[in-house]
Amino acid sequence: SHFLGFTLAEIAQEAALSQSRLRTLSEAQEKELVSDPKLLLVAACVLNHWGLFDIVRAYRLSETECLKRLLKLDKLHLINLLPGNRIRLNVSRDFEWLANGPIRRYFREEGLSDFLNGAFSQNDETLTFTHAMLTESATIKMQAELAKLRQRFSELHDESLTAPLIKRRGTGVLLAMRE
């Protein structure tokens, strides 16, 4: 019996593994990802539940190049590459990049200015900046609200997985708060 291409044995194994999923990668694992732009691209795609053929169709990447990167991600324990080139993520729902690790440094150096250079003029775009004078207690409460918003964003991502890939759009949210 199969459910979305997974056997009952794989579903049972999935349930058992859900407790041991990665919440972060090591510095070395993140460094490996940023060392190869194609590896980082494939990692970003699989973290968004794309399959091998989705990646190959969307990017200038051959099936062999993509499979090579998927095998590397398997070796890094980010995924398990299953028979038929199916992909099982090994990350928990609350997975995060290291606070000052290679991925976040790469994003700050390579991606942040590109993200912020948009006009933010479309109906589905927002850029807001606000300022307040907060007590320590209010700051802690605001951090909790941001965590809830991040969790809701993750839940909406999960809900959207039922739609075909062509109906989903990569969407970035930048939440930043500091004194």
Side-chain angles (χ1 to χ4, degrees):
S1 182
H2 286 74
F3 177 73
L4 296 176
F6 289 86
T7 66
L8 285 177
E10 288 170 338
I11 291 170
Q13 183 183 26
E14 179 81 9
L17 288 174
S18 67
Q19 298 304 314
S20 63
R21 299 256 163 113
L22 297 173
R23 296 186 69 212
T24 61
L25 298 179
S26 69
E27 176 97 8
Q29 287 170 310
E30 284 197 9
K31 192 176 280 190
E32 184 96 23
L33 287 178
V34 299
S35 72
D36 174 5
K38 289 180 180 178
L39 180 63
L40 185 57
L41 170 69
V42 172
C45 289
V46 298
L47 286 171
N48 282 297
H49 301 271
W50 289 35
L52 179 137
F53 294 109
D54 298 322
I55 299 167
V56 169
R57 270 196 303 266
Y59 296 101
R60 291 189 186 113
L61 205 61
S62 72
E63 190 174 327
T64 302
E65 287 177 305
C66 188
L67 191 54
K68 177 182 172 187
R69 273 41 179 225
L70 290 172
L71 288 167
K72 185 68 151 178
L73 294 175
D74 185 281
K75 185 179 174 194
L76 290 170
H77 306 295
L78 195 67
I79 67 166
N80 282 107
L81 194 57
L82 302 172
N85 295 328
R86 291 172 297 130
I87 300 164
R88 183 181 63 221
L89 284 175
N90 284 336
V91 298
S92 64
R93 287 193 68 190
D94 60 350
F95 175 81
E96 282 197 73
W97 301 116
L98 295 172
N100 196 30
I103 297 287
R104 289 201 185 178
R105 283 194 303 271
Y106 180 86
F107 174 72
R108 282 193 305 271
E109 294 164 12
E110 306 290 331
L112 187 57
S113 63
D114 185 50
F115 182 78
L116 292 173
N117 280 339
F120 292 91
S121 58
Q122 302 299 314
N123 289 337
D124 61 352
E125 297 178 330
T126 304
L127 177 63
T128 303
F129 178 80
T130 188
H131 182 269
M133 298 290 292
L134 301 179
T135 63
E136 184 177 345
S137 170
T139 299
I140 291 168
K141 289 176 185 174
M142 189 64 213
Q143 292 286 5
E145 289 300 317
L146 291 174
K148 286 182 198 173
L149 183 58
R150 184 174 181 262
Q151 177 62 36
R152 182 63 182 135
F153 189 68
S154 175
E155 290 166 1
L156 291 170
H157 165 79
D158 290 346
E159 284 176 27
S160 297
L161 291 175
T162 60
L165 183 59
I166 197 160
K167 295 282 189 182
R168 294 181 273 147
R169 298 183 325 220
T171 303
V173 172
L174 173 65
L175 301 173
M177 182 175 148
R178 69 178 184 90
E179 186 175 336

PDB file of all heavy atoms in Angstrom, residues 76-111:
ATOM      1  N   LEU A  76      25.256  14.820   4.083  1.00  0.00           N
ATOM      2  CA  LEU A  76      25.242  15.843   5.131  1.00  0.00           C
ATOM      3  C   LEU A  76      24.098  15.626   6.130  1.00  0.00           C
ATOM      4  O   LEU A  76      23.940  16.397   7.074  1.00  0.00           O
ATOM      5  CB  LEU A  76      25.116  17.243   4.509  1.00  0.00           C
ATOM      6  CG  LEU A  76      26.324  17.753   3.743  1.00  0.00           C
ATOM      7  CD1 LEU A  76      25.988  19.023   2.973  1.00  0.00           C
ATOM      8  CD2 LEU A  76      27.496  17.987   4.679  1.00  0.00           C
ATOM      9  N   HIS A  77      23.260  14.605   5.879  1.00  0.00           N
ATOM     10  CA  HIS A  77      22.131  14.234   6.742  1.00  0.00           C
ATOM     11  C   HIS A  77      20.986  15.243   6.724  1.00  0.00           C
ATOM     12  O   HIS A  77      20.124  15.210   7.602  1.00  0.00           O
ATOM     13  CB  HIS A  77      22.582  13.965   8.186  1.00  0.00           C
ATOM     14  CG  HIS A  77      23.678  12.965   8.271  1.00  0.00           C
ATOM     15  ND1 HIS A  77      23.514  11.643   7.901  1.00  0.00           N
ATOM     16  CD2 HIS A  77      24.978  13.087   8.639  1.00  0.00           C
ATOM     17  CE1 HIS A  77      24.658  11.007   8.050  1.00  0.00           C
ATOM     18  NE2 HIS A  77      25.577  11.856   8.493  1.00  0.00           N
ATOM     19  N   LEU A  78      20.966  16.133   5.736  1.00  0.00           N
ATOM     20  CA  LEU A  78      19.850  17.065   5.599  1.00  0.00           C
ATOM     21  C   LEU A  78      18.622  16.341   5.052  1.00  0.00           C
ATOM     22  O   LEU A  78      17.488  16.686   5.389  1.00  0.00           O
ATOM     23  CB  LEU A  78      20.252  18.209   4.664  1.00  0.00           C
ATOM     24  CG  LEU A  78      19.396  19.449   4.659  1.00  0.00           C
ATOM     25  CD1 LEU A  78      19.500  20.189   5.984  1.00  0.00           C
ATOM     26  CD2 LEU A  78      19.798  20.392   3.539  1.00  0.00           C
ATOM     27  N   ILE A  79      18.859  15.342   4.215  1.00  0.00           N
ATOM     28  CA  ILE A  79      17.791  14.537   3.625  1.00  0.00           C
ATOM     29  C   ILE A  79      18.183  13.067   3.661  1.00  0.00           C
ATOM     30  O   ILE A  79      19.344  12.737   3.918  1.00  0.00           O
ATOM     31  CB  ILE A  79      17.502  14.921   2.147  1.00  0.00           C
ATOM     32  CG1 ILE A  79      18.705  14.563   1.249  1.00  0.00           C
ATOM     33  CG2 ILE A  79      17.094  16.374   2.010  1.00  0.00           C
ATOM     34  CD1 ILE A  79      18.416  14.585  -0.242  1.00  0.00           C
ATOM     35  N   ASN A  80      17.197  12.212   3.388  1.00  0.00           N
ATOM     36  CA  ASN A  80      17.453  10.819   3.024  1.00  0.00           C
ATOM     37  C   ASN A  80      16.966  10.689   1.598  1.00  0.00           C
ATOM     38  O   ASN A  80      15.816  11.042   1.302  1.00  0.00           O
ATOM     39  CB  ASN A  80      16.689   9.838   3.913  1.00  0.00           C
ATOM     40  CG  ASN A  80      17.345   9.670   5.257  1.00  0.00           C
ATOM     41  OD1 ASN A  80      16.842  10.157   6.255  1.00  0.00           O
ATOM     42  ND2 ASN A  80      18.479   8.996   5.295  1.00  0.00           N
ATOM     43  N   LEU A  81      17.835  10.239   0.712  1.00  0.00           N
ATOM     44  CA  LEU A  81      17.446   9.978  -0.663  1.00  0.00           C
ATOM     45  C   LEU A  81      16.934   8.546  -0.722  1.00  0.00           C
ATOM     46  O   LEU A  81      17.675   7.609  -0.440  1.00  0.00           O
ATOM     47  CB  LEU A  81      18.635  10.201  -1.602  1.00  0.00           C
ATOM     48  CG  LEU A  81      18.320  10.288  -3.076  1.00  0.00           C
ATOM     49  CD1 LEU A  81      17.302  11.389  -3.382  1.00  0.00           C
ATOM     50  CD2 LEU A  81      19.591  10.523  -3.879  1.00  0.00           C
ATOM     51  N   LEU A  82      15.663   8.401  -1.044  1.00  0.00           N
ATOM     52  CA  LEU A  82      14.985   7.105  -1.036  1.00  0.00           C
ATOM     53  C   LEU A  82      14.946   6.506  -2.433  1.00  0.00           C
ATOM     54  O   LEU A  82      15.213   7.206  -3.420  1.00  0.00           O
ATOM     55  CB  LEU A  82      13.562   7.286  -0.490  1.00  0.00           C
ATOM     56  CG  LEU A  82      13.457   7.886   0.914  1.00  0.00           C
ATOM     57  CD1 LEU A  82      12.002   8.201   1.251  1.00  0.00           C
ATOM     58  CD2 LEU A  82      14.070   6.966   1.951  1.00  0.00           C
ATOM     59  N   PRO A  83      14.599   5.225  -2.552  1.00  0.00           N
ATOM     60  CA  PRO A  83      14.459   4.616  -3.885  1.00  0.00           C
ATOM     61  C   PRO A  83      13.543   5.449  -4.778  1.00  0.00           C
ATOM     62  O   PRO A  83      12.577   6.061  -4.301  1.00  0.00           O
ATOM     63  CB  PRO A  83      13.843   3.250  -3.575  1.00  0.00           C
ATOM     64  CG  PRO A  83      14.286   2.946  -2.176  1.00  0.00           C
ATOM     65  CD  PRO A  83      14.321   4.283  -1.470  1.00  0.00           C
ATOM     66  N   GLY A  84      13.868   5.493  -6.059  1.00  0.00           N
ATOM     67  CA  GLY A  84      13.092   6.300  -7.005  1.00  0.00           C
ATOM     68  C   GLY A  84      13.404   7.780  -6.902  1.00  0.00           C
ATOM     69  O   GLY A  84      12.634   8.620  -7.362  1.00  0.00           O
ATOM     70  N   ASN A  85      14.525   8.105  -6.264  1.00  0.00           N
ATOM     71  CA  ASN A  85      14.959   9.499  -6.070  1.00  0.00           C
ATOM     72  C   ASN A  85      13.932  10.337  -5.316  1.00  0.00           C
ATOM     73  O   ASN A  85      13.848  11.548  -5.498  1.00  0.00           O
ATOM     74  CB  ASN A  85      15.324  10.163  -7.405  1.00  0.00           C
ATOM     75  CG  ASN A  85      16.528   9.498  -8.029  1.00  0.00           C
ATOM     76  OD1 ASN A  85      17.413   9.020  -7.325  1.00  0.00           O
ATOM     77  ND2 ASN A  85      16.550   9.430  -9.348  1.00  0.00           N
ATOM     78  N   ARG A  86      13.179   9.671  -4.434  1.00  0.00           N
ATOM     79  CA  ARG A  86      12.276  10.408  -3.554  1.00  0.00           C
ATOM     80  C   ARG A  86      13.100  10.986  -2.413  1.00  0.00           C
ATOM     81  O   ARG A  86      14.143  10.446  -2.046  1.00  0.00           O
ATOM     82  CB  ARG A  86      11.171   9.481  -3.029  1.00  0.00           C
ATOM     83  CG  ARG A  86      10.217   9.066  -4.145  1.00  0.00           C
ATOM     84  CD  ARG A  86       9.222   7.999  -3.689  1.00  0.00           C
ATOM     85  NE  ARG A  86       9.959   6.790  -3.322  1.00  0.00           N
ATOM     86  CZ  ARG A  86       9.781   6.136  -2.170  1.00  0.00           C
ATOM     87  NH1 ARG A  86       8.894   6.549  -1.290  1.00  0.00           N
ATOM     88  NH2 ARG A  86      10.487   5.055  -1.905  1.00  0.00           N
ATOM     89  N   ILE A  87      12.632  12.077  -1.847  1.00  0.00           N
ATOM     90  CA  ILE A  87      13.403  12.818  -0.849  1.00  0.00           C
ATOM     91  C   ILE A  87      12.617  12.883   0.451  1.00  0.00           C
ATOM     92  O   ILE A  87      11.449  13.271   0.461  1.00  0.00           O
ATOM     93  CB  ILE A  87      13.682  14.258  -1.358  1.00  0.00           C
ATOM     94  CG1 ILE A  87      14.480  14.203  -2.654  1.00  0.00           C
ATOM     95  CG2 ILE A  87      14.389  15.080  -0.288  1.00  0.00           C
ATOM     96  CD1 ILE A  87      14.470  15.515  -3.424  1.00  0.00           C
ATOM     97  N   ARG A  88      13.280  12.517   1.549  1.00  0.00           N
ATOM     98  CA  ARG A  88      12.684  12.697   2.871  1.00  0.00           C
ATOM     99  C   ARG A  88      13.561  13.690   3.625  1.00  0.00           C
ATOM    100  O   ARG A  88      14.760  13.461   3.795  1.00  0.00           O
ATOM    101  CB  ARG A  88      12.592  11.389   3.644  1.00  0.00           C
ATOM    102  CG  ARG A  88      11.898  11.616   5.002  1.00  0.00           C
ATOM    103  CD  ARG A  88      11.770  10.380   5.851  1.00  0.00           C
ATOM    104  NE  ARG A  88      13.090   9.890   6.194  1.00  0.00           N
ATOM    105  CZ  ARG A  88      13.408   8.609   6.201  1.00  0.00           C
ATOM    106  NH1 ARG A  88      12.543   7.693   5.864  1.00  0.00           N
ATOM    107  NH2 ARG A  88      14.625   8.228   6.544  1.00  0.00           N
ATOM    108  N   LEU A  89      12.982  14.786   4.080  1.00  0.00           N
ATOM    109  CA  LEU A  89      13.719  15.783   4.852  1.00  0.00           C
ATOM    110  C   LEU A  89      14.048  15.246   6.236  1.00  0.00           C
ATOM    111  O   LEU A  89      13.235  14.555   6.844  1.00  0.00           O
ATOM    112  CB  LEU A  89      12.880  17.058   5.014  1.00  0.00           C
ATOM    113  CG  LEU A  89      12.778  17.971   3.809  1.00  0.00           C
ATOM    114  CD1 LEU A  89      11.811  19.113   4.103  1.00  0.00           C
ATOM    115  CD2 LEU A  89      14.129  18.519   3.439  1.00  0.00           C
ATOM    116  N   ASN A  90      15.221  15.589   6.717  1.00  0.00           N
ATOM    117  CA  ASN A  90      15.633  15.208   8.070  1.00  0.00           C
ATOM    118  C   ASN A  90      15.669  16.411   9.002  1.00  0.00           C
ATOM    119  O   ASN A  90      16.432  16.429   9.955  1.00  0.00           O
ATOM    120  CB  ASN A  90      17.026  14.563   8.040  1.00  0.00           C
ATOM    121  CG  ASN A  90      16.983  13.159   7.515  1.00  0.00           C
ATOM    122  OD1 ASN A  90      15.956  12.496   7.577  1.00  0.00           O
ATOM    123  ND2 ASN A  90      18.089  12.709   6.970  1.00  0.00           N
ATOM    124  N   VAL A  91      14.864  17.419   8.713  1.00  0.00           N
ATOM    125  CA  VAL A  91      14.859  18.615   9.551  1.00  0.00           C
ATOM    126  C   VAL A  91      13.511  18.742  10.249  1.00  0.00           C
ATOM    127  O   VAL A  91      12.477  18.357   9.717  1.00  0.00           O
ATOM    128  CB  VAL A  91      15.166  19.902   8.744  1.00  0.00           C
ATOM    129  CG1 VAL A  91      16.550  19.835   8.135  1.00  0.00           C
ATOM    130  CG2 VAL A  91      14.128  20.163   7.689  1.00  0.00           C
ATOM    131  N   SER A  92      13.554  19.277  11.462  1.00  0.00           N
ATOM    132  CA  SER A  92      12.335  19.470  12.236  1.00  0.00           C
ATOM    133  C   SER A  92      11.595  20.716  11.732  1.00  0.00           C
ATOM    134  O   SER A  92      12.155  21.521  10.979  1.00  0.00           O
ATOM    135  CB  SER A  92      12.679  19.622  13.713  1.00  0.00           C
ATOM    136  OG  SER A  92      13.444  20.782  13.927  1.00  0.00           O
ATOM    137  N   ARG A  93      10.363  20.850  12.173  1.00  0.00           N
ATOM    138  CA  ARG A  93       9.563  22.015  11.764  1.00  0.00           C
ATOM    139  C   ARG A  93      10.180  23.313  12.255  1.00  0.00           C
ATOM    140  O   ARG A  93      10.024  24.359  11.632  1.00  0.00           O
ATOM    141  CB  ARG A  93       8.143  21.899  12.308  1.00  0.00           C
ATOM    142  CG  ARG A  93       7.319  20.859  11.585  1.00  0.00           C
ATOM    143  CD  ARG A  93       5.880  20.984  11.932  1.00  0.00           C
ATOM    144  NE  ARG A  93       5.390  22.241  11.368  1.00  0.00           N
ATOM    145  CZ  ARG A  93       4.221  22.769  11.640  1.00  0.00           C
ATOM    146  NH1 ARG A  93       3.413  22.174  12.455  1.00  0.00           N
ATOM    147  NH2 ARG A  93       3.849  23.898  11.096  1.00  0.00           N
ATOM    148  N   ASP A  94      10.895  23.260  13.391  1.00  0.00           N
ATOM    149  CA  ASP A  94      11.495  24.483  13.941  1.00  0.00           C
ATOM    150  C   ASP A  94      12.974  24.606  13.571  1.00  0.00           C
ATOM    151  O   ASP A  94      13.746  25.268  14.250  1.00  0.00           O
ATOM    152  CB  ASP A  94      11.290  24.559  15.453  1.00  0.00           C
ATOM    153  CG  ASP A  94      11.911  23.389  16.210  1.00  0.00           C
ATOM    154  OD1 ASP A  94      12.341  22.409  15.558  1.00  0.00           O
ATOM    155  OD2 ASP A  94      11.959  23.445  17.450  1.00  0.00           O
ATOM    156  N   PHE A  95      13.358  23.995  12.449  1.00  0.00           N
ATOM    157  CA  PHE A  95      14.737  24.054  11.951  1.00  0.00           C
ATOM    158  C   PHE A  95      15.166  25.513  11.755  1.00  0.00           C
ATOM    159  O   PHE A  95      14.395  26.340  11.275  1.00  0.00           O
ATOM    160  CB  PHE A  95      14.822  23.310  10.614  1.00  0.00           C
ATOM    161  CG  PHE A  95      16.161  23.415   9.945  1.00  0.00           C
ATOM    162  CD1 PHE A  95      17.209  22.611  10.336  1.00  0.00           C
ATOM    163  CD2 PHE A  95      16.371  24.322   8.922  1.00  0.00           C
ATOM    164  CE1 PHE A  95      18.445  22.700   9.718  1.00  0.00           C
ATOM    165  CE2 PHE A  95      17.603  24.430   8.306  1.00  0.00           C
ATOM    166  CZ  PHE A  95      18.642  23.615   8.713  1.00  0.00           C
ATOM    167  N   GLU A  96      16.409  25.819  12.149  1.00  0.00           N
ATOM    168  CA  GLU A  96      16.961  27.163  11.961  1.00  0.00           C
ATOM    169  C   GLU A  96      18.410  27.076  11.541  1.00  0.00           C
ATOM    170  O   GLU A  96      19.130  26.162  11.940  1.00  0.00           O
ATOM    171  CB  GLU A  96      16.896  27.972  13.266  1.00  0.00           C
ATOM    172  CG  GLU A  96      15.534  28.529  13.578  1.00  0.00           C
ATOM    173  CD  GLU A  96      15.639  29.630  14.613  1.00  0.00           C
ATOM    174  OE1 GLU A  96      16.106  30.729  14.253  1.00  0.00           O
ATOM    175  OE2 GLU A  96      15.259  29.379  15.757  1.00  0.00           O
ATOM    176  N   TRP A  97      18.828  28.050  10.729  1.00  0.00           N
ATOM    177  CA  TRP A  97      20.240  28.190  10.405  1.00  0.00           C
ATOM    178  C   TRP A  97      20.950  28.731  11.632  1.00  0.00           C
ATOM    179  O   TRP A  97      20.352  29.425  12.454  1.00  0.00           O
ATOM    180  CB  TRP A  97      20.420  29.135   9.218  1.00  0.00           C
ATOM    181  CG  TRP A  97      19.713  28.699   7.969  1.00  0.00           C
ATOM    182  CD1 TRP A  97      18.689  29.347   7.342  1.00  0.00           C
ATOM    183  CD2 TRP A  97      19.961  27.519   7.188  1.00  0.00           C
ATOM    184  NE1 TRP A  97      18.286  28.645   6.231  1.00  0.00           N
ATOM    185  CE2 TRP A  97      19.058  27.514   6.113  1.00  0.00           C
ATOM    186  CE3 TRP A  97      20.863  26.464   7.301  1.00  0.00           C
ATOM    187  CZ2 TRP A  97      19.031  26.504   5.155  1.00  0.00           C
ATOM    188  CZ3 TRP A  97      20.833  25.448   6.351  1.00  0.00           C
ATOM    189  CH2 TRP A  97      19.927  25.485   5.293  1.00  0.00           C
ATOM    190  N   LEU A  98      22.241  28.438  11.769  1.00  0.00           N
ATOM    191  CA  LEU A  98      23.022  28.931  12.903  1.00  0.00           C
ATOM    192  C   LEU A  98      22.997  30.456  12.953  1.00  0.00           C
ATOM    193  O   LEU A  98      23.087  31.127  11.919  1.00  0.00           O
ATOM    194  CB  LEU A  98      24.471  28.444  12.802  1.00  0.00           C
ATOM    195  CG  LEU A  98      24.666  26.924  12.903  1.00  0.00           C
ATOM    196  CD1 LEU A  98      26.116  26.564  12.585  1.00  0.00           C
ATOM    197  CD2 LEU A  98      24.261  26.415  14.274  1.00  0.00           C
ATOM    198  N   ALA A  99      22.898  31.003  14.162  1.00  0.00           N
ATOM    199  CA  ALA A  99      22.723  32.446  14.352  1.00  0.00           C
ATOM    200  C   ALA A  99      23.760  33.280  13.610  1.00  0.00           C
ATOM    201  O   ALA A  99      23.419  34.254  12.963  1.00  0.00           O
ATOM    202  CB  ALA A  99      22.735  32.786  15.838  1.00  0.00           C
ATOM    203  N   ASN A 100      25.022  32.928  13.701  1.00  0.00           N
ATOM    204  CA  ASN A 100      26.044  33.665  12.958  1.00  0.00           C
ATOM    205  C   ASN A 100      26.844  32.701  12.100  1.00  0.00           C
ATOM    206  O   ASN A 100      28.048  32.854  11.925  1.00  0.00           O
ATOM    207  CB  ASN A 100      26.959  34.457  13.903  1.00  0.00           C
ATOM    208  CG  ASN A 100      27.763  35.503  13.158  1.00  0.00           C
ATOM    209  OD1 ASN A 100      27.315  36.028  12.136  1.00  0.00           O
ATOM    210  ND2 ASN A 100      28.954  35.789  13.625  1.00  0.00           N
ATOM    211  N   GLY A 101      26.140  31.706  11.561  1.00  0.00           N
ATOM    212  CA  GLY A 101      26.797  30.675  10.776  1.00  0.00           C
ATOM    213  C   GLY A 101      26.958  31.056   9.318  1.00  0.00           C
ATOM    214  O   GLY A 101      26.542  32.135   8.878  1.00  0.00           O
ATOM    215  N   PRO A 102      27.563  30.177   8.539  1.00  0.00           N
ATOM    216  CA  PRO A 102      27.844  30.436   7.127  1.00  0.00           C
ATOM    217  C   PRO A 102      26.608  30.786   6.279  1.00  0.00           C
ATOM    218  O   PRO A 102      26.696  31.641   5.406  1.00  0.00           O
ATOM    219  CB  PRO A 102      28.478  29.128   6.646  1.00  0.00           C
ATOM    220  CG  PRO A 102      29.086  28.537   7.863  1.00  0.00           C
ATOM    221  CD  PRO A 102      28.160  28.908   8.989  1.00  0.00           C
ATOM    222  N   ILE A 103      25.472  30.161   6.541  1.00  0.00           N
ATOM    223  CA  ILE A 103      24.271  30.434   5.735  1.00  0.00           C
ATOM    224  C   ILE A 103      23.776  31.854   5.972  1.00  0.00           C
ATOM    225  O   ILE A 103      23.503  32.596   5.029  1.00  0.00           O
ATOM    226  CB  ILE A 103      23.144  29.415   6.030  1.00  0.00           C
ATOM    227  CG1 ILE A 103      23.577  27.999   5.646  1.00  0.00           C
ATOM    228  CG2 ILE A 103      21.853  29.811   5.324  1.00  0.00           C
ATOM    229  CD1 ILE A 103      23.644  27.716   4.167  1.00  0.00           C
ATOM    230  N   ARG A 104      23.659  32.240   7.230  1.00  0.00           N
ATOM    231  CA  ARG A 104      23.180  33.604   7.524  1.00  0.00           C
ATOM    232  C   ARG A 104      24.181  34.646   7.053  1.00  0.00           C
ATOM    233  O   ARG A 104      23.785  35.702   6.567  1.00  0.00           O
ATOM    234  CB  ARG A 104      22.873  33.764   9.005  1.00  0.00           C
ATOM    235  CG  ARG A 104      21.618  32.992   9.376  1.00  0.00           C
ATOM    236  CD  ARG A 104      21.008  33.499  10.632  1.00  0.00           C
ATOM    237  NE  ARG A 104      19.872  32.664  11.004  1.00  0.00           N
ATOM    238  CZ  ARG A 104      19.165  32.848  12.087  1.00  0.00           C
ATOM    239  NH1 ARG A 104      19.450  33.831  12.909  1.00  0.00           N
ATOM    240  NH2 ARG A 104      18.166  32.058  12.362  1.00  0.00           N
ATOM    241  N   ARG A 105      25.491  34.370   7.185  1.00  0.00           N
ATOM    242  CA  ARG A 105      26.493  35.317   6.659  1.00  0.00           C
ATOM    243  C   ARG A 105      26.356  35.434   5.150  1.00  0.00           C
ATOM    244  O   ARG A 105      26.403  36.539   4.596  1.00  0.00           O
ATOM    245  CB  ARG A 105      27.909  34.865   7.049  1.00  0.00           C
ATOM    246  CG  ARG A 105      28.261  35.150   8.490  1.00  0.00           C
ATOM    247  CD  ARG A 105      29.751  35.020   8.771  1.00  0.00           C
ATOM    248  NE  ARG A 105      30.317  33.733   8.445  1.00  0.00           N
ATOM    249  CZ  ARG A 105      30.380  32.696   9.277  1.00  0.00           C
ATOM    250  NH1 ARG A 105      29.890  32.794  10.493  1.00  0.00           N
ATOM    251  NH2 ARG A 105      30.915  31.566   8.896  1.00  0.00           N
ATOM    252  N   TYR A 106      26.164  34.296   4.481  1.00  0.00           N
ATOM    253  CA  TYR A 106      25.989  34.296   3.022  1.00  0.00           C
ATOM    254  C   TYR A 106      24.758  35.117   2.645  1.00  0.00           C
ATOM    255  O   TYR A 106      24.806  35.933   1.724  1.00  0.00           O
ATOM    256  CB  TYR A 106      25.847  32.852   2.527  1.00  0.00           C
ATOM    257  CG  TYR A 106      25.664  32.723   1.028  1.00  0.00           C
ATOM    258  CD1 TYR A 106      26.762  32.669   0.181  1.00  0.00           C
ATOM    259  CD2 TYR A 106      24.390  32.663   0.463  1.00  0.00           C
ATOM    260  CE1 TYR A 106      26.602  32.546  -1.188  1.00  0.00           C
ATOM    261  CE2 TYR A 106      24.223  32.545  -0.906  1.00  0.00           C
ATOM    262  CZ  TYR A 106      25.334  32.486  -1.724  1.00  0.00           C
ATOM    263  OH  TYR A 106      25.159  32.380  -3.077  1.00  0.00           O
ATOM    264  N   PHE A 107      23.659  34.923   3.365  1.00  0.00           N
ATOM    265  CA  PHE A 107      22.437  35.680   3.078  1.00  0.00           C
ATOM    266  C   PHE A 107      22.666  37.183   3.269  1.00  0.00           C
ATOM    267  O   PHE A 107      22.271  37.988   2.435  1.00  0.00           O
ATOM    268  CB  PHE A 107      21.281  35.205   3.962  1.00  0.00           C
ATOM    269  CG  PHE A 107      20.032  36.048   3.803  1.00  0.00           C
ATOM    270  CD1 PHE A 107      19.274  35.973   2.649  1.00  0.00           C
ATOM    271  CD2 PHE A 107      19.643  36.927   4.795  1.00  0.00           C
ATOM    272  CE1 PHE A 107      18.140  36.764   2.488  1.00  0.00           C
ATOM    273  CE2 PHE A 107      18.520  37.721   4.648  1.00  0.00           C
ATOM    274  CZ  PHE A 107      17.764  37.635   3.491  1.00  0.00           C
ATOM    275  N   ARG A 108      23.328  37.546   4.377  1.00  0.00           N
ATOM    276  CA  ARG A 108      23.582  38.975   4.618  1.00  0.00           C
ATOM    277  C   ARG A 108      24.460  39.573   3.520  1.00  0.00           C
ATOM    278  O   ARG A 108      24.217  40.689   3.058  1.00  0.00           O
ATOM    279  CB  ARG A 108      24.236  39.180   5.984  1.00  0.00           C
ATOM    280  CG  ARG A 108      23.257  39.110   7.137  1.00  0.00           C
ATOM    281  CD  ARG A 108      23.857  39.613   8.441  1.00  0.00           C
ATOM    282  NE  ARG A 108      25.082  38.954   8.838  1.00  0.00           N
ATOM    283  CZ  ARG A 108      25.140  37.859   9.588  1.00  0.00           C
ATOM    284  NH1 ARG A 108      24.048  37.296  10.010  1.00  0.00           N
ATOM    285  NH2 ARG A 108      26.306  37.338   9.913  1.00  0.00           N
ATOM    286  N   GLU A 109      25.483  38.817   3.080  1.00  0.00           N
ATOM    287  CA  GLU A 109      26.427  39.337   2.092  1.00  0.00           C
ATOM    288  C   GLU A 109      25.891  39.273   0.672  1.00  0.00           C
ATOM    289  O   GLU A 109      26.146  40.165  -0.132  1.00  0.00           O
ATOM    290  CB  GLU A 109      27.748  38.559   2.183  1.00  0.00           C
ATOM    291  CG  GLU A 109      28.484  38.785   3.495  1.00  0.00           C
ATOM    292  CD  GLU A 109      29.569  37.739   3.767  1.00  0.00           C
ATOM    293  OE1 GLU A 109      29.911  36.965   2.852  1.00  0.00           O
ATOM    294  OE2 GLU A 109      30.064  37.702   4.913  1.00  0.00           O
ATOM    295  N   GLU A 110      25.160  38.221   0.336  1.00  0.00           N
ATOM    296  CA  GLU A 110      24.748  37.982  -1.048  1.00  0.00           C
ATOM    297  C   GLU A 110      23.266  38.256  -1.331  1.00  0.00           C
ATOM    298  O   GLU A 110      22.916  38.649  -2.424  1.00  0.00           O
ATOM    299  CB  GLU A 110      25.048  36.525  -1.446  1.00  0.00           C
ATOM    300  CG  GLU A 110      26.475  36.092  -1.239  1.00  0.00           C
ATOM    301  CD  GLU A 110      27.449  36.740  -2.196  1.00  0.00           C
ATOM    302  OE1 GLU A 110      27.036  37.077  -3.326  1.00  0.00           O
ATOM    303  OE2 GLU A 110      28.615  36.906  -1.823  1.00  0.00           O
ATOM    304  N   GLY A 111      22.411  38.002  -0.375  1.00  0.00           N
ATOM    305  CA  GLY A 111      20.984  38.023  -0.673  1.00  0.00           C
ATOM    306  C   GLY A 111      20.186  39.160  -0.077  1.00  0.00           C
ATOM    307  O   GLY A 111      19.158  39.560  -0.632  1.00  0.00           O
TER     308      GLY A 111
END
